[in-house]
Amino acid sequence: AAGSNPQSPGFTEKLKSWLYWSWTYICTLWFAMVLTMVYVLRSPLKLQETVNAGVSSVFLNTLTPKFYVALTGTSSLISGLILIFEWWYFRKYGTSFIEQVSVSHLRPLLGGVENSSSAGLFSSVNGDTEPRTNVAECKVWRNPLNLFRGAEYSRYTWVTGKEPLTYYDMNLSAQDHQTFFLGDTQQLRPEDSVMQKAWRERNPQARIRAAYQAIELNRECAAAYVLLAEEEATTITEAERLFKQALKSGMKLSGKDTNLVVYIKRRLAMCARKLGRIKEAVKMMRDLMKEFPLLGMLNIHENLLEALLELQAYADVQAVLAKYDDISLPKSATICYTSALLKARAVSDKFSPEAASRRGLSTAEMNAVEAIHRAVEFNPHVPKYLLEMKSLILPPEHILKRGDSEAVAYAFFHLQHWKRAEGALNLLHCTWEGTFRIIPYPLEKGHLFYPYPGCTETADRELLPSFHEVSVYPKKELPFFILFTAGLCSFCAMLAMLTHQFPELMGVFVKAVSICTPHRTQKCVGFFVVVFLAFLSSLCALIIYFFFV
């Protein structure tokens, strides 16, 4: 229909904009007409006398003090329920529910401008919508040290009953595998078509069955062996055997699929590292980097750094950092914190906060502190995991640089290296919080790096499992609606308690602050009705306020 009538989308948009425009003015006109009618008919209908007589004779004289307690208690209960829900929603999603609904859903209905601050986040991750200016800030990277699903992630699920990977994270991995292994869709063989569907399968058993189906079509289907090594193998030894079979099959391919071969060799090196053959793993990684120097985007040097740290070959680590810790190259938590570890290791064994405060920092100590500050500015979430102030979880398959997901992935593999360097964690504990006195606040500009991106929290919540409490920087203040409902709930609860315990005293208080008629019942009712109506009207007014602000 759209193809046959190209003007229809434009007409629909014009009609929608006209409705938005007319809605605002129609509502304003309607309220003005109602107020005008009430004002004009106030004398003929004797509204004021009718209301006063009705309230005095029918309503006010039949009420008891229990009504006032119920009125204020209901207000306290409603505001308390709203407070509990708002607090839970803020802890889970990092934003106010009322504010989010007001800005995201109700404002467009009233003709306001739709807030798109969060709409562009996932477009930068999965590319479904037009890229925004913050795409570079929110780009998700493949975790260079990601674990094996069958041999590691699945074992965690068997023991704890919790899923360590989110569907969003696994979906990104499926897209990576399709792009990495099956780049040319015009020349797909039958087994490649089967594997293309296999990567998209949501059920692990369906993926494994598809891999066996591909092997039946072609015994040399390397991608099928890769899938079995990743997901079916329950031990690292079994995964290594399947990867070797995949490498053997991959080398037989005409033209040799470079992406597939690089992936398999890298995973074989990681298998050797996990099985304790660290020198062999280092050699495999060095050979891989020498054979494919243009594939630096795969961050194989981060695997090499971790293996060299395990060997305690600190001179070799420094040589790798000299090549990759360059101002023109993208940074990572591994680069920054490994550099800080090497400088901290040189002075940490003799470092004492008391002695440093008396004599000042030496040049080497100053260099170590500056390196720690640099690392913390790049990713402020890491120190809490290294200092074990926050519990670790299994790292995700994808990370967001400078985010909590990257911090989890770094600390999971490198905490042992910091513990091995005597005094390094003590130096980190004494100095890391000083970084925040250097960074400008608010974070409109950075100190050594670009300003900290504002999209990390939402993306990390998609990458990390729900049972993990996502680290947030800068720490968010409580939304206004939580503070407002907390104050309103406390105020209404206090009125209900005082009215129930001291009815006479509350009557005297109302009499002192009321300017209504002399009758005490009318004063009390007026006071408590005003409190209840103030609660409802204030909440509605604040919601409407967020439509347009």
Side-chain angles (χ1 to χ4, degrees):
S4 61
N5 186 12
Q7 295 181 350
S8 58
F11 174 77
T12 304
E13 292 298 326
K14 290 181 180 179
L15 179 62
K16 187 182 297 184
S17 62
W18 182 84
L19 290 175
Y20 285 160
W21 174 83
S22 61
W23 173 264
T24 304
Y25 289 97
I26 289 174
C27 289
T28 305
L29 181 62
W30 182 80
F31 278 114
M33 290 176 60
V34 169
L35 293 176
T36 303
M37 185 179 297
V38 171
Y39 179 78
V40 171
L41 298 178
R42 72 187 190 284
S43 297
L45 296 180
K46 299 180 180 180
L47 294 178
Q48 185 174 1
E49 294 81 354
T50 303
V51 171
N52 290 338
V55 171
S56 300
S57 60
V58 180
F59 183 63
L60 299 180
N61 294 332
T62 59
L63 299 179
T64 63
K66 292 182 179 179
F67 168 77
Y68 315 135
V69 177
L71 187 66
T72 52
T74 303
S75 301
S76 176
L77 176 63
I78 294 174
S79 56
L81 293 175
I82 296 175
L83 171 63
I84 294 172
F85 178 76
E86 277 282 292
W87 175 255
W88 170 82
Y89 196 87
F90 174 72
R91 292 297 300 272
K92 186 173 180 63
Y93 299 105
T95 185
S96 166
F97 174 78
I98 297 176
E99 181 178 348
Q100 184 185 36
V101 170
S102 303
V103 172
S104 303
H105 301 286
L106 299 182
R107 180 193 289 182
L109 296 178
L110 297 182
V113 179
E114 186 176 359
N115 185 4
S116 59
S117 60
S118 61
L121 172 62
F122 297 110
S123 64
S124 64
V125 174
N126 55 31
D128 291 339
T129 59
E130 183 178 352
R132 300 176 57 85
T133 56
N134 59 349
V135 169
E137 295 178 346
C138 300
K139 181 179 180 181
V140 174
W141 298 75
R142 181 82 174 178
N143 181 5
L145 295 169
N146 65 304
L147 305 177
F148 295 87
R149 287 192 187 176
E152 292 171 307
Y153 288 121
S154 295
R155 292 164 69 94
Y156 177 84
T157 303
W158 298 337
V159 173
T160 65
K162 298 178 180 179
E163 290 291 342
L165 296 175
T166 63
Y167 174 69
Y168 176 71
D169 190 17
M170 292 189 291
N171 185 51
L172 289 178
S173 297
Q175 295 177 16
D176 291 342
H177 291 146
Q178 285 180 278
T179 304
F180 208 60
F181 300 153
L182 306 169
D184 188 4
T185 58
Q186 301 297 325
Q187 301 178 356
L188 289 181
R189 296 163 298 184
E191 63 271 19
D192 293 334
S193 300
V194 173
M195 289 307 301
Q196 191 176 39
K197 296 178 182 178
W199 296 120
R200 291 199 299 263
E201 288 287 349
R202 186 169 184 175
N203 189 332
Q205 295 304 319
R207 291 195 292 270
I208 293 173
R209 286 196 299 269
Y212 279 114
Q213 182 182 352
I215 292 175
E216 289 178 0
L217 294 173
N218 182 1
R219 298 291 298 177
E220 304 298 333
C221 182
Y225 290 112
V226 168
L227 190 147
L228 295 177
E230 292 283 356
E231 304 206 22
E232 188 186 38
T234 56
T235 63
I236 301 297
T237 303
E238 186 180 355
E240 184 181 37
R241 179 184 61 80
L242 288 169
F243 274 122
K244 287 180 178 179
Q245 178 63 42
L247 181 61
K248 181 180 178 181
S249 301
M251 298 298 287
K252 293 180 180 179
L253 293 175
S254 58
K256 194 173 64 171
D257 190 338
T258 302
N259 292 338
L260 185 60
V261 170
V262 170
Y263 182 89
I264 295 172
K265 287 185 175 182
R266 180 183 192 168
R267 295 303 262 178
L268 281 172
M270 295 175 68
C271 288
R273 162 67 182 91
K274 293 175 184 293
L275 293 174
R277 306 194 308 270
I278 305 174
K279 291 184 178 180
E280 178 185 344
V282 168
K283 183 179 183 304
M284 294 173 68
M285 293 173 191
R286 289 188 185 277
D287 293 342
L288 195 57
M289 294 169 63
K290 187 181 300 183
E291 185 179 359
F292 304 100
L294 298 180
L295 294 179
M297 61 180 179
L298 299 178
N299 297 322
I300 302 175
H301 60 275
E302 296 195 11
N303 299 83
L304 178 61
L305 284 173
E306 196 280 327
L308 290 174
L309 286 172
E310 181 64 20
L311 289 176
Q312 302 185 44
Y314 297 110
D316 293 335
V317 172
Q318 186 61 57
V320 175
L321 286 176
K323 181 178 180 181
Y324 290 96
D325 192 6
D326 186 83
I327 191 172
S328 61
L329 297 177
K331 299 294 181 292
S332 67
T334 300
I335 293 291
C336 295
Y337 278 90
T338 302
S339 178
L341 173 60
L342 292 188
K343 293 181 180 179
R345 175 181 167 273
V347 298
S348 59
D349 56 338
K350 299 179 181 178
F351 177 78
S352 170
E354 295 79 11
S357 61
R358 288 195 307 268
R359 58 173 171 78
L361 295 175
S362 64
T363 303
E365 290 173 338
M366 183 63 70
N367 291 336
V369 172
E370 289 177 354
I372 289 175
H373 287 174
R374 170 178 178 262
V376 174
E377 181 182 350
F378 182 83
N379 193 317
H381 310 286
V382 172
K384 288 189 176 181
Y385 293 107
L386 293 180
L387 297 173
E388 299 181 271
M389 300 167 62
K390 194 173 180 185
S391 58
L392 272 173
I393 60 172
L394 295 186
E397 292 184 338
H398 289 81
I399 59 174
L400 186 68
K401 287 192 175 183
R402 308 188 74 178
D404 191 34
S405 52
E406 184 190 35
V408 169
Y410 173 79
F412 184 86
F413 293 100
H414 289 262
L415 176 58
Q416 56 181 332
H417 307 315
W418 280 81
K419 288 184 174 181
R420 187 179 294 123
E422 183 181 356
L425 289 176
N426 178 49
L427 180 60
L428 177 68
H429 174 73
C430 295
T431 57
W432 76 278
E433 291 182 328
T435 309
F436 306 116
R437 293 192 291 269
I438 302 174
I439 303 175
Y441 187 85
L443 303 176
E444 71 279 358
K445 60 180 181 178
H447 179 59
L448 298 175
F449 300 99
Y450 288 108
Y452 192 80
C455 61
T456 57
E457 179 188 358
T458 310
D460 278 333
R461 290 183 187 278
E462 293 291 324
L463 292 171
L464 296 169
S466 58
F467 57 82
H468 174 72
E469 183 180 353
V470 175
S471 177
V472 179
Y473 176 81
K475 190 172 181 61
K476 287 189 175 181
E477 298 180 356
L478 287 177
F480 170 76
F481 280 109
I482 290 183
L483 301 176
F484 174 75
T485 52
L488 192 61
C489 176
S490 303
F491 178 69
C492 294
M494 180 185 66
L495 285 181
M497 183 185 66
L498 291 176
T499 306
H500 177 71
Q501 295 293 333
F502 311 103
E504 295 297 329
L505 184 61
M506 288 299 294
V508 174
F509 172 73
V510 172
K511 184 177 181 180
V513 299
S514 178
I515 57 173
C516 300
T517 59
H519 199 277
R520 177 176 294 180
T521 304
Q522 294 178 0
K523 295 175 183 177
C524 293
V525 170
F527 176 73
F528 288 107
V529 169
V530 165
V531 170
F532 185 70
L533 293 179
F535 160 69
L536 296 178
S537 61
S538 299
L539 190 59
C540 294
L542 287 169
I543 294 176
I544 294 174
Y545 170 77
F546 273 92
F547 293 163
F548 305 100
V549 175

PDB file of all heavy atoms in Angstrom, residues 429-441:
ATOM      1  N   HIS A 429      43.893   0.711  47.490  1.00  0.00           N
ATOM      2  CA  HIS A 429      42.890   1.079  48.490  1.00  0.00           C
ATOM      3  C   HIS A 429      43.117   2.496  49.027  1.00  0.00           C
ATOM      4  O   HIS A 429      42.149   3.230  49.275  1.00  0.00           O
ATOM      5  CB  HIS A 429      42.932   0.072  49.637  1.00  0.00           C
ATOM      6  CG  HIS A 429      42.044   0.428  50.793  1.00  0.00           C
ATOM      7  ND1 HIS A 429      40.674   0.327  50.737  1.00  0.00           N
ATOM      8  CD2 HIS A 429      42.341   0.901  52.032  1.00  0.00           C
ATOM      9  CE1 HIS A 429      40.154   0.718  51.880  1.00  0.00           C
ATOM     10  NE2 HIS A 429      41.148   1.062  52.688  1.00  0.00           N
ATOM     11  N   CYS A 430      44.352   2.885  49.157  1.00  0.00           N
ATOM     12  CA  CYS A 430      44.669   4.190  49.751  1.00  0.00           C
ATOM     13  C   CYS A 430      44.530   5.349  48.761  1.00  0.00           C
ATOM     14  O   CYS A 430      44.432   6.506  49.191  1.00  0.00           O
ATOM     15  CB  CYS A 430      46.092   4.179  50.313  1.00  0.00           C
ATOM     16  SG  CYS A 430      46.346   3.036  51.692  1.00  0.00           S
ATOM     17  N   THR A 431      44.537   5.055  47.474  1.00  0.00           N
ATOM     18  CA  THR A 431      44.663   6.147  46.502  1.00  0.00           C
ATOM     19  C   THR A 431      43.538   6.234  45.479  1.00  0.00           C
ATOM     20  O   THR A 431      43.392   7.282  44.858  1.00  0.00           O
ATOM     21  CB  THR A 431      45.985   6.006  45.733  1.00  0.00           C
ATOM     22  OG1 THR A 431      46.034   4.716  45.097  1.00  0.00           O
ATOM     23  CG2 THR A 431      47.170   6.130  46.674  1.00  0.00           C
ATOM     24  N   TRP A 432      42.738   5.179  45.294  1.00  0.00           N
ATOM     25  CA  TRP A 432      41.833   5.191  44.146  1.00  0.00           C
ATOM     26  C   TRP A 432      40.736   6.234  44.259  1.00  0.00           C
ATOM     27  O   TRP A 432      40.319   6.839  43.268  1.00  0.00           O
ATOM     28  CB  TRP A 432      41.234   3.798  43.923  1.00  0.00           C
ATOM     29  CG  TRP A 432      40.151   3.391  44.886  1.00  0.00           C
ATOM     30  CD1 TRP A 432      40.322   2.877  46.125  1.00  0.00           C
ATOM     31  CD2 TRP A 432      38.743   3.433  44.667  1.00  0.00           C
ATOM     32  NE1 TRP A 432      39.115   2.599  46.715  1.00  0.00           N
ATOM     33  CE2 TRP A 432      38.125   2.938  45.831  1.00  0.00           C
ATOM     34  CE3 TRP A 432      37.931   3.844  43.612  1.00  0.00           C
ATOM     35  CZ2 TRP A 432      36.738   2.848  45.967  1.00  0.00           C
ATOM     36  CZ3 TRP A 432      36.551   3.753  43.737  1.00  0.00           C
ATOM     37  CH2 TRP A 432      35.969   3.256  44.901  1.00  0.00           C
ATOM     38  N   GLU A 433      40.248   6.507  45.471  1.00  0.00           N
ATOM     39  CA  GLU A 433      39.165   7.478  45.617  1.00  0.00           C
ATOM     40  C   GLU A 433      39.623   8.909  45.371  1.00  0.00           C
ATOM     41  O   GLU A 433      38.795   9.790  45.115  1.00  0.00           O
ATOM     42  CB  GLU A 433      38.544   7.360  47.008  1.00  0.00           C
ATOM     43  CG  GLU A 433      37.774   6.055  47.201  1.00  0.00           C
ATOM     44  CD  GLU A 433      37.126   5.976  48.565  1.00  0.00           C
ATOM     45  OE1 GLU A 433      37.707   6.542  49.518  1.00  0.00           O
ATOM     46  OE2 GLU A 433      36.048   5.371  48.679  1.00  0.00           O
ATOM     47  N   GLY A 434      40.932   9.140  45.422  1.00  0.00           N
ATOM     48  CA  GLY A 434      41.426  10.474  45.121  1.00  0.00           C
ATOM     49  C   GLY A 434      41.215  10.880  43.677  1.00  0.00           C
ATOM     50  O   GLY A 434      41.299  12.068  43.346  1.00  0.00           O
ATOM     51  N   THR A 435      40.936   9.905  42.820  1.00  0.00           N
ATOM     52  CA  THR A 435      40.699  10.217  41.405  1.00  0.00           C
ATOM     53  C   THR A 435      39.518  11.157  41.244  1.00  0.00           C
ATOM     54  O   THR A 435      39.530  12.056  40.397  1.00  0.00           O
ATOM     55  CB  THR A 435      40.427   8.920  40.616  1.00  0.00           C
ATOM     56  OG1 THR A 435      41.466   7.984  40.890  1.00  0.00           O
ATOM     57  CG2 THR A 435      40.345   9.189  39.128  1.00  0.00           C
ATOM     58  N   PHE A 436      38.491  10.983  42.069  1.00  0.00           N
ATOM     59  CA  PHE A 436      37.254  11.742  41.866  1.00  0.00           C
ATOM     60  C   PHE A 436      37.397  13.198  42.278  1.00  0.00           C
ATOM     61  O   PHE A 436      36.519  14.012  41.981  1.00  0.00           O
ATOM     62  CB  PHE A 436      36.118  11.061  42.633  1.00  0.00           C
ATOM     63  CG  PHE A 436      35.967   9.605  42.283  1.00  0.00           C
ATOM     64  CD1 PHE A 436      36.179   8.611  43.228  1.00  0.00           C
ATOM     65  CD2 PHE A 436      35.644   9.225  40.992  1.00  0.00           C
ATOM     66  CE1 PHE A 436      36.060   7.268  42.900  1.00  0.00           C
ATOM     67  CE2 PHE A 436      35.525   7.886  40.650  1.00  0.00           C
ATOM     68  CZ  PHE A 436      35.730   6.912  41.607  1.00  0.00           C
ATOM     69  N   ARG A 437      38.479  13.534  42.977  1.00  0.00           N
ATOM     70  CA  ARG A 437      38.740  14.942  43.274  1.00  0.00           C
ATOM     71  C   ARG A 437      39.418  15.636  42.096  1.00  0.00           C
ATOM     72  O   ARG A 437      39.480  16.874  42.057  1.00  0.00           O
ATOM     73  CB  ARG A 437      39.609  15.062  44.529  1.00  0.00           C
ATOM     74  CG  ARG A 437      38.918  14.606  45.804  1.00  0.00           C
ATOM     75  CD  ARG A 437      39.716  15.022  47.032  1.00  0.00           C
ATOM     76  NE  ARG A 437      40.970  14.292  47.133  1.00  0.00           N
ATOM     77  CZ  ARG A 437      41.106  13.147  47.791  1.00  0.00           C
ATOM     78  NH1 ARG A 437      40.065  12.592  48.377  1.00  0.00           N
ATOM     79  NH2 ARG A 437      42.284  12.536  47.843  1.00  0.00           N
ATOM     80  N   ILE A 438      39.935  14.849  41.156  1.00  0.00           N
ATOM     81  CA  ILE A 438      40.621  15.405  39.987  1.00  0.00           C
ATOM     82  C   ILE A 438      39.650  15.616  38.834  1.00  0.00           C
ATOM     83  O   ILE A 438      39.733  16.606  38.108  1.00  0.00           O
ATOM     84  CB  ILE A 438      41.770  14.465  39.551  1.00  0.00           C
ATOM     85  CG1 ILE A 438      42.763  14.259  40.703  1.00  0.00           C
ATOM     86  CG2 ILE A 438      42.478  15.002  38.324  1.00  0.00           C
ATOM     87  CD1 ILE A 438      43.832  13.227  40.396  1.00  0.00           C
ATOM     88  N   ILE A 439      38.708  14.672  38.671  1.00  0.00           N
ATOM     89  CA  ILE A 439      37.776  14.736  37.549  1.00  0.00           C
ATOM     90  C   ILE A 439      36.803  15.881  37.775  1.00  0.00           C
ATOM     91  O   ILE A 439      36.213  15.999  38.852  1.00  0.00           O
ATOM     92  CB  ILE A 439      37.023  13.404  37.409  1.00  0.00           C
ATOM     93  CG1 ILE A 439      38.011  12.243  37.240  1.00  0.00           C
ATOM     94  CG2 ILE A 439      36.059  13.449  36.227  1.00  0.00           C
ATOM     95  CD1 ILE A 439      37.349  10.893  37.221  1.00  0.00           C
ATOM     96  N   PRO A 440      36.589  16.729  36.771  1.00  0.00           N
ATOM     97  CA  PRO A 440      35.616  17.823  36.921  1.00  0.00           C
ATOM     98  C   PRO A 440      34.218  17.277  37.161  1.00  0.00           C
ATOM     99  O   PRO A 440      33.847  16.221  36.652  1.00  0.00           O
ATOM    100  CB  PRO A 440      35.698  18.563  35.574  1.00  0.00           C
ATOM    101  CG  PRO A 440      36.992  18.136  34.973  1.00  0.00           C
ATOM    102  CD  PRO A 440      37.262  16.756  35.471  1.00  0.00           C
ATOM    103  N   TYR A 441      33.458  18.000  37.976  1.00  0.00           N
ATOM    104  CA  TYR A 441      32.060  17.620  38.218  1.00  0.00           C
ATOM    105  C   TYR A 441      31.190  18.854  38.084  1.00  0.00           C
ATOM    106  O   TYR A 441      31.542  19.903  38.603  1.00  0.00           O
ATOM    107  CB  TYR A 441      31.894  17.028  39.617  1.00  0.00           C
ATOM    108  CG  TYR A 441      30.510  16.469  39.846  1.00  0.00           C
ATOM    109  CD1 TYR A 441      30.210  15.170  39.438  1.00  0.00           C
ATOM    110  CD2 TYR A 441      29.502  17.246  40.409  1.00  0.00           C
ATOM    111  CE1 TYR A 441      28.944  14.652  39.615  1.00  0.00           C
ATOM    112  CE2 TYR A 441      28.236  16.737  40.587  1.00  0.00           C
ATOM    113  CZ  TYR A 441      27.958  15.435  40.188  1.00  0.00           C
ATOM    114  OH  TYR A 441      26.684  14.927  40.347  1.00  0.00           O
TER     115      TYR A 441
END
